[in-house]
Amino acid sequence: MEQHCYGEAATFVFGVWASGMDPDGTLHWNLPDRRKSYYDEDYLPQKLDRVDEAGNLYFDGSPFPWKLADDFAEDPRWGYPRWKVVLGKLLGKGKAE
């Protein structure tokens, strides 16, 4: 998983990989060295609850989905209407380099 900031200074924030997942959906994270990467372990999901028909992921009983960045089209709840996301993608904002 990667976290990006899609605001005015859109940038890659951090990335983590899970080394595995139990049959019940509990994730096991390979966490990066804190001296080299900022992340908040409390923010990371702990258990995958379900995947919907569109491929969105739902973690830890939350009604809000995690979406693939390539499929990210809009998120008006956080101030990203469709035009702003399209503009950001055209300008290359939010991509890890």
Side-chain angles (χ1 to χ4, degrees), residues 5-8 10-11 69 72-73 80-95 97:
C5 173
Y6 288 96
E8 297 302 321
T11 187
F72 182 69
Y80 298 101
R82 186 175 300 277
W83 69 267
K84 192 171 186 179
V85 173
V86 169
L87 183 61
K89 287 181 179 181
L90 288 174
L91 297 175
K93 299 209 177 225
K95 294 186 178 186
E97 297 191 18

Side-chain angles (χ1 to χ4, degrees), residues 25-97:
T26 301
L27 298 163
H28 302 281
W29 294 107
N30 285 331
L31 299 174
D33 185 335
R34 283 195 186 268
R35 296 170 294 177
K36 297 178 182 176
S37 177
Y38 168 80
Y39 62 92
D40 184 346
E41 196 169 336
D42 292 335
Y43 180 70
L44 298 176
Q46 300 302 308
K47 184 176 178 184
L48 176 65
D49 296 323
R50 68 184 177 95
V51 179
D52 68 15
E53 299 80 26
N56 298 316
L57 308 174
Y58 294 83
F59 295 98
D60 302 327
S62 174
F64 302 111
W66 288 60
K67 298 181 180 188
L68 297 175
D70 292 345
D71 296 339
F72 182 69
E74 65 181 332
D75 194 352
R77 180 174 56 111
W78 298 110
Y80 298 101
R82 186 175 300 277
W83 69 267
K84 192 171 186 179
V85 173
V86 169
L87 183 61
K89 287 181 179 181
L90 288 174
L91 297 175
K93 299 209 177 225
K95 294 186 178 186
E97 297 191 18

